[in-house]
Structure formats: C-alpha cells, structure tokens
Amino acid sequence: MQSVEAAASWPASNVAVAVVSGGAVVGSLGDQQRVFPLASVTKLLTSYAVLVAVEEGAVEWDQPAGPPGATVRHLIAHTAGYAFDKAEVQAAPGTRRIYSNAGFDVLASFVASACEIPFASYLREAVFEPLGMNSSALVGSAGAGAESCAADLALFASELLSPKLVSASLVAEATSVVFPGLNGVLPGYGMQKPNDWGLGFEIRDGKSPHWTGLSHSPRTFGHFGQSGTFLWVDPEISAACVALTDLRFGPWAVEAWTPFSDGVRAELSQRA
C-alpha cells in the first residue's frame, strides 16, 4: 500500500506499520518483528483477556469490583471514579469518564483473583498463545505495561475483525458505547463531550480532535499509547491499522497520525 509509506517520514528512529483487511496483512512498513513498548495500547490486550474471562464465566460485568458501588463494567469503561494514576476515588461510579491506569490495575487484580492465576499469565494463555502472538508479553502494569510487535498486533487486529476466542456478539458489546453521555479528558487531545468508551475500547464517535482519521466511521474503535503507538479498527470497511514507534507521543503524532490514517482508509476504500 502506497499510503503506509507516509510513516517513513515520521521523526521516530524505528517505525513499524501493518494494515489488516480480509484476515491478512495488506500493507506494511518497517520491521514487523521488532518489539516495542505499547503503553496504553496494552489496554486493548488486557480488555480482550477480560472478555475471555467473561465468556468463560469466571467474572461477570456487574460483579462488585473496585470502590464501593463500582463493578467490573465500571472499571473497564473508566467510570469507576478512580484517578488517572492512583486508586484514589474522585467521583461516584458511573458519573464521570476519568481515564484511569489505576482502574485497569484493580481490574487485572480482580480477574487474577477470580481465575486464580497471575494476570500476565492469564493474558498469555487466554490471548497471546491462542493467537500465536509469540513476541508479546505483559511486563508491567495491565494498563500500560505490555510489549509487542507489528506482526503480533496484526494477528490481534484480525481477531477483533473476526473473533474466534470469544463470541462476535461479545466483541460487538465491548466496542459499543457503555455509560453514554459522560464527558471526560482524552489524554493528549483534551476534553471530549462526550468522551465515549466501550468495554476497554475507545470509541471514535464524533470526537474532535482525535488520533484517528477525519474520515473514519463513528464506529471506529481502538487505542493509542504514549509510547507513540496506536491500533484502530474501522468496522465500516472491515479493516485495521497498527502503528508502532520508538518516539514518545507528542505534537509530531497529533500532526502526523490523522492524515496518515485518512490516507490508509482512502486507499482501503478504493480497493473495496
């Protein structure tokens, strides 16, 4: 794909891009096996492991978890009320969308306890091994501590487009807005009204500014990370894009990612 070549001009020392459509990589750039820290793209992997746990019946969305009045659903949707980086309650559950790494750590601990296995091991056994993601691992927090490569995340993107580990209906639920209408800050892009989110997956809807393309459908979902990484899935065109870099998120990414993703989507649409 010609559109992915634009990533070669990004100011990072190392960049890897993979575009997935029809269950296969249809465009790529860079070393597909190079392992990068994912930062908050980790939340997609953690969330998918939680989906597996729900599908298995090990946990339930409305089980109490976290602060008083909160549930598993609140934790994964950033509405449990926790602060960004510590388990300090700043709001009543379900009243605000406070993006929280701390909430994901509490979520992972809850799942680990319910499944009687360390969460990193559960993630490996529930997601990485079945999908053949052999270069992926959770080496830090459940909210921002995974590492992976473009080839592995392309396998994960294919799973999101055509689920096999969990039911398609569960993925559809996870990638639809939960607790709609809540405002909140999207890190790096400011206050969003509303700041819509699914069950661990950020939903694009009508957010502006945003890290995906201006042409993306409102149903587009995914996540970006402060390590200079992103993964989006646009169900409208049944395609996904992974981008990994070794340059921390900043103004360069705000300027580069949106036109890049618009270019990828346009080329994919022309191929359809």
Side-chain angles (χ1 to χ4, degrees):
M1 293 180 64
Q2 290 185 337
S3 56
V4 302
E5 297 299 323
S9 66
W10 294 353
S13 298
N14 293 281
V15 177
V17 174
V19 179
V20 177
S21 181
V25 174
V26 296
S28 64
L29 176 81
D31 183 352
Q32 298 294 290
Q33 302 298 327
R34 183 184 180 89
V35 173
F36 294 82
L38 300 184
S40 285
V41 173
T42 300
K43 291 182 177 69
L44 299 180
L45 304 173
T46 291
S47 297
Y48 215 71
V50 177
L51 295 191
V52 175
V54 169
E55 189 100 317
E56 293 177 338
V59 301
E60 298 179 0
W61 292 125
D62 295 320
Q63 274 184 278
T71 64
V72 172
R73 192 189 309 272
H74 286 110
L75 287 170
I76 201 170
H78 298 289
T79 60
Y82 281 134
F84 168 68
D85 59 356
K86 55 185 175 180
E88 174 184 288
V89 178
Q90 295 185 327
T95 62
R96 289 173 57 192
R97 187 90 62 190
I98 304 175
Y99 181 82
S100 178
N101 284 329
F104 261 70
D105 288 335
V106 173
L107 174 65
S109 294
F110 182 86
V111 173
S113 178
C115 297
E116 299 182 334
I117 181 175
F119 187 77
S121 299
Y122 187 78
L123 175 57
R124 183 182 69 249
E125 294 178 12
V127 180
F128 296 158
E129 290 179 355
L131 295 180
M133 298 173 64
N134 299 323
S135 296
S136 301
L138 182 62
V139 297
S141 77
E147 57 184 23
S148 188
C149 63
D152 277 14
L153 290 180
L155 295 172
F156 180 64
S158 293
E159 168 69 14
L160 294 174
L161 287 163
S162 183
K164 296 177 178 60
L165 302 185
V166 299
S167 66
S169 62
L170 185 55
V171 173
E173 179 184 1
T175 56
S176 299
V177 179
V178 293
F179 303 106
L182 296 182
N183 300 333
V185 173
L186 177 62
Y189 289 88
M191 177 62 69
Q192 303 289 327
K193 299 182 178 181
N195 189 19
D196 284 338
W197 226 274
L199 298 171
F201 296 82
E202 193 214 333
I203 313 298
R204 195 204 190 291
D205 276 356
K207 292 174 183 173
S208 180
H210 199 256
W211 56 274
T212 60
L214 297 174
S215 60
H216 280 278
S217 72
R219 294 173 56 209
T220 299
F221 61 86
H223 222 293
F224 83 91
Q226 290 292 325
S227 57
T229 57
F230 70 73
L231 187 162
W232 57 250
V233 177
D234 190 339
E236 188 174 274
I237 57 172
S238 298
C241 182
V242 173
L244 305 176
T245 80
D246 58 3
L247 180 61
R248 188 168 177 79
F249 173 85
W252 75 269
V254 174
E255 294 174 5
W257 286 355
T258 292
F260 171 80
S261 291
D262 278 330
V264 170
R265 193 186 191 283
E267 187 170 352
L268 287 167
S269 298
Q270 291 170 1
R271 291 182 171 203

